[in-house]
């Protein structure tokens, strides 16, 4: 699509919106960057984009804040949605009625970028798998970019890509709602459990958004799926891509699986990869993440010696069951990225000692019963805070867990944990909820936890 000289609306002024605006400006478009928050400062947004865009490009930028001026619908040729903006807003429906293309930031980057894309989605494990696969690719190829939901907008690196580049991309369901021609060389869906139902409204819509990652793949391209996820096992029978499975529970005829404690890659030939005891990342869920990365890397052509060496060196990602420190005989783990019950279940199952758990936060319409039942004698005290604390406490009591303490602030929750944790115990921040309302994002929440630990 030639956008030179055309008016393009960028909907949402976060980091994705700013990066998309820069790319569009550099491609010659006239950009209207819109955000419904009228408390933002136009001058600050413009200055930030001017600092990133080519010299003359920023003269073609307009910033609009507050109520959406519907006359813009008569002027624009394309809309680029930031992932945080719902796609079912009435004004977006009007764009579709007028046949105005509505792209996501990912689609924009894919259309104007170069190189091969290896894309990962799933409810949990995306960031760890993306980071690990990114490290494997960096040890294999010269030009590698790790982008997407991991915190680095895809559009921000487009002008640096070349034909031999590899882009390792973490894809959220929000981002996958608005892709049309996007087609990764290798994709993966790690697992699907309920999440973001406040945005997608139904589980069916959420699943469909995740499955959209393979929409344009052919039999020449590969999709890696979790055999132990019933939804994905069924999806593997209908996707157009060539399917490779991974499994932590059984031997597969073809794919990557655990045999005892050894990861086996059986794609064309049977190759022992490594013993999970050699990995620095904890828990079965992380073995699954490792197997998904192995399958993707090997399917793309990475040599097994590179894959094996990187696996053993990989220390995990920040905010995901991250060891913080041992203070006064108590170990502290930061699992702030556990923003939904299924992720938090993985966090608690990785604990091997009595645990004081911090939970609660923003309400994403999740159900917490399975999380509570996963405590299974590991949790000695449950400290709750945030908008969901009463809802989670009621769920816990209903499931027979009553060692609950309420806190009104994050600092108070931490103080309670220190009070109840004894030498030999763990304190785990794994909230099963988003951080919004108390923090800007899960990273800020995790950083606050680590700061408090270091002050002890």
């Amino acid at each position: 699509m030639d956008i030179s000289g055309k008016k393009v609306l960028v909907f949402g002024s976060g980091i994705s919106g700013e990066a998309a605006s820069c790319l569009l400006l550099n491609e010659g478009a006239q950009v209207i960057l819109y955000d419904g928050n009228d408390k933002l400062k136009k001058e600050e947004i413009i200055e930030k984009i001017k600092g990133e865009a080519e010299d003359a490009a920023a003269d073609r930028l307009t910033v609009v804040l507050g109520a959406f001026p519907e006359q813009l619908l008569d002027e624009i040729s394309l809309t680029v949605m930031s992932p945080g903006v719902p796609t079912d807003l009435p004004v977006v429906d009007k764009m579709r009625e007028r046949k105005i293309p509505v792209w996501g930031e990912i689609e924009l980057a894919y259309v104007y970028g170069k190189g091969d894309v290896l894309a990962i989605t799933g409810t949990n494990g995306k960031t760890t798998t993306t980071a690990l696969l990114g490290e494997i690719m960096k040890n294999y190829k010269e030009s590698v970019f790790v982008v997407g939901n991991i915190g680095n907008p895809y559009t921000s690196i487009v002008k640096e890509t070349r034909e031999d580049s590899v882009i390792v991309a973490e894809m959220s369901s929000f981002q996958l709602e608005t892709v049309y021609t996007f087609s990764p060389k290798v994709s993966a869906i790690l697992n699907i459990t309920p999440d973001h139902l406040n945005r997608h409204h139904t589980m069916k819509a959420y699943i469909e958004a995740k499955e959209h990652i393979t929409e344009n793949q052919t039999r020449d391209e590969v999709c890696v799926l979790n055999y132990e996820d019933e939804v994905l096992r069924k999806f593997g029978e209908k996707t157009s891509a060539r399917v490779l499975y991974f499994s932590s529970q059984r031997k597969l005829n073809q794919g990557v699986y655990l045999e005892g404690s050894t990861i086996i890659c059986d794609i064309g030939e049977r190759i022992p990869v490594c013993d999970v005891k050699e990995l620095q990342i904890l828990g079965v869920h992380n073995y699954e993440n490792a197997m998904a990365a192995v399958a993707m890397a090997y399917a793309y052509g990475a040599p097994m010696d590179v894959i094996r060496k990187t696996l053993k060196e990989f220390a995990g990602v920040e905010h995901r069951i991250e060891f913080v420190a041992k203070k006064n005989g108590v170990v502290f783990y930061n699992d702030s990225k556990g923003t939904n019950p299924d992720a938090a279940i993985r966090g608690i199952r990785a604990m091997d000692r009595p645990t004081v758990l911090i939970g609660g936060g923003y309400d994403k319409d999740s159900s917490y019963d399975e999380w509570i039942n996963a405590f299974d004698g590991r949790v000695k005290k449950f400290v709750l805070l945030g908008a969901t604390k009463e809802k989670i406490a009621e769920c816990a009591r209903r499931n027979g867990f009553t060692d609950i303490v309420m806190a009104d602030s994050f600092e108070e929750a931490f103080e309670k944990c220190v009070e109840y944790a004894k030498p030999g115990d763990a304190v785990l921040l794994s909230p099963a909820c988003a951080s919004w309302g108390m923090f800007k994002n899960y990273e800020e929440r995790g950083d606050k936890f680590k700061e408090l630990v270091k002050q002890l």
Side-chain angles (χ1 to χ4, degrees):
M1 183 180 189
D2 182 11
I3 56 171
S4 182
K6 293 179 180 174
K7 285 190 178 178
V8 179
L9 177 72
V10 176
F11 206 127
S13 70
I15 59 169
S16 291
E18 289 170 358
S21 297
C22 287
L23 174 56
L24 289 161
L25 290 166
N26 292 341
E27 291 292 332
Q30 296 182 51
V31 176
I32 302 159
L33 177 56
Y34 169 74
D35 199 295
N37 183 358
D38 59 6
K39 293 181 174 58
L40 295 173
K41 293 185 168 58
K42 285 186 188 182
E43 299 75 18
E44 288 181 8
I45 296 170
I46 291 169
E47 282 306 310
K48 196 167 181 185
I49 292 172
K50 270 186 178 177
E52 299 291 332
E54 292 171 0
D55 290 345
D59 296 337
R60 288 180 269 105
L61 172 67
T62 305
V63 175
V64 177
L65 303 175
F68 186 84
E70 294 213 3
Q71 65 269 24
L72 286 181
L73 298 178
D74 298 323
E75 304 172 22
I76 56 176
S77 301
L78 169 69
T79 294
V80 177
M81 302 290 288
S82 296
V85 181
T87 56
D88 57 357
L89 295 174
V91 68
V92 181
D93 289 336
K94 287 179 182 176
M95 292 173 195
R96 294 192 183 99
E97 286 168 13
R98 291 174 178 239
K99 309 291 188 217
I100 298 168
V102 178
W103 289 4
E105 181 247 353
I106 298 301
E107 180 71 12
L108 177 69
Y110 181 76
V111 168
Y112 288 98
K114 300 182 182 76
D116 293 335
V117 180
L118 311 182
I120 297 156
T121 194
T123 306
N124 298 302
K126 296 187 296 296
T127 301
T128 298
T129 308
T130 301
L132 173 53
L133 183 61
E135 290 303 306
I136 295 169
M137 286 299 123
K138 286 173 186 175
N139 289 330
Y140 170 48
K141 301 277 278 187
E142 184 183 310
S143 176
V144 176
F145 302 90
V146 181
V147 302
N149 200 49
I150 201 166
N152 184 26
Y154 188 178
T155 42
S156 70
I157 56 91
V158 162
K159 65 182 179 182
E160 300 171 57
T161 59
R162 55 198 205 201
E163 295 301 336
D164 65 341
S165 293
V166 175
I167 296 92
V168 180
E170 178 185 338
M171 304 276 92
S172 71
S173 56
F174 298 173
Q175 291 167 317
L176 289 167
E177 283 181 314
T178 46
V179 296
Y180 298 98
T181 63
F182 176 74
S183 183
K185 288 289 180 187
V186 184
S187 67
I189 311 178
L190 304 177
N191 45 63
I192 295 185
T193 57
D195 197 17
H196 298 301
L197 298 186
N198 56 326
R199 164 81 172 251
H200 296 289
H201 307 304
T202 67
M203 194 62 193
K204 182 173 181 287
Y206 176 60
I207 291 169
E208 286 173 353
K210 291 292 190 189
E211 292 176 345
H212 210 41
I213 198 169
T214 73
E215 186 80 11
N216 300 304
Q217 286 189 289
T218 67
R219 294 296 295 175
D220 295 329
E221 293 154 340
V222 172
C223 177
V224 173
L225 300 172
N226 186 346
Y227 192 84
E228 301 311 318
D229 187 302
E230 190 178 339
V231 171
L232 297 179
R233 192 160 63 242
K234 288 179 181 174
F235 178 64
E237 296 170 5
K238 62 181 183 180
T239 180
S240 55
R242 180 165 72 91
V243 173
L244 290 174
Y245 289 105
F246 65 91
S247 173
S248 59
Q249 304 296 320
R250 71 194 74 205
K251 180 178 178 179
L252 302 173
N253 290 329
Q254 181 170 274
V256 181
Y257 57 90
L258 267 185
E259 189 172 80
S261 62
T262 302
I263 295 175
I264 303 292
C265 178
D266 195 346
I267 302 172
E269 61 176 317
R270 184 183 180 280
I271 306 171
V273 181
C274 67
D275 193 297
V276 295
K277 297 184 188 75
E278 298 176 271
L279 302 179
Q280 297 185 54
I281 47 181
L282 298 173
V284 173
H285 65 288
N286 272 325
Y287 307 156
E288 291 175 342
N289 296 336
M291 288 188 285
V294 169
M296 293 185 76
Y298 196 71
Y300 184 69
M304 186 52 72
D305 59 339
V306 171
I307 296 171
R308 185 180 290 116
K309 183 174 184 292
T310 311
L311 273 181
K312 293 177 183 179
E313 292 172 350
F314 183 68
V317 297
E318 194 177 17
H319 308 296
R320 194 69 185 101
I321 322 179
E322 175 192 7
F323 172 78
V324 180
K326 186 173 184 178
K327 295 287 184 86
N328 306 317
V330 177
V331 290
F332 291 81
Y333 287 96
N334 164 30
D335 192 36
S336 185
K337 201 173 187 320
T339 58
N340 59 62
D342 193 59
I345 287 170
R346 292 158 189 253
I348 199 63
R349 282 181 177 161
M351 296 298 102
D352 60 357
R353 61 185 69 209
T355 300
V356 180
L357 174 65
I358 301 177
Y362 178 84
D363 193 350
K364 294 195 288 183
D365 292 341
S366 298
S367 168
Y368 301 102
D369 297 86
E370 282 189 48
W371 181 37
I372 306 299
N373 289 324
F375 289 3
D376 196 25
R378 292 180 179 89
V379 177
K380 63 178 279 186
K381 193 69 74 172
F382 194 15
V383 182
L384 287 168
L385 75 164
T388 56
K389 65 182 180 183
E390 298 293 347
K391 178 179 176 181
I392 295 173
E394 182 187 339
C395 177
R397 293 186 189 104
R398 190 170 65 244
N399 285 281
F401 188 92
T402 57
D403 287 326
I404 299 165
V405 179
M406 298 295 201
D408 293 325
S409 69
F410 193 80
E411 290 79 1
E412 184 189 356
F414 184 81
E415 287 167 11
K416 300 274 188 192
C417 290
V418 173
E419 178 186 340
Y420 288 110
K422 305 301 178 198
D425 291 350
V427 170
L428 172 67
L429 168 67
S430 188
C433 300
S435 59
W436 309 319
M438 298 183 80
F439 297 96
K440 206 165 49 174
N441 48 43
Y442 72 80
E443 293 98 334
E444 187 178 83
R445 176 172 62 187
D447 287 341
K448 182 65 176 177
F449 179 75
K450 290 193 285 186
E451 178 190 319
L452 292 170
V453 172
K454 282 164 189 169
Q455 288 172 3
L456 286 175

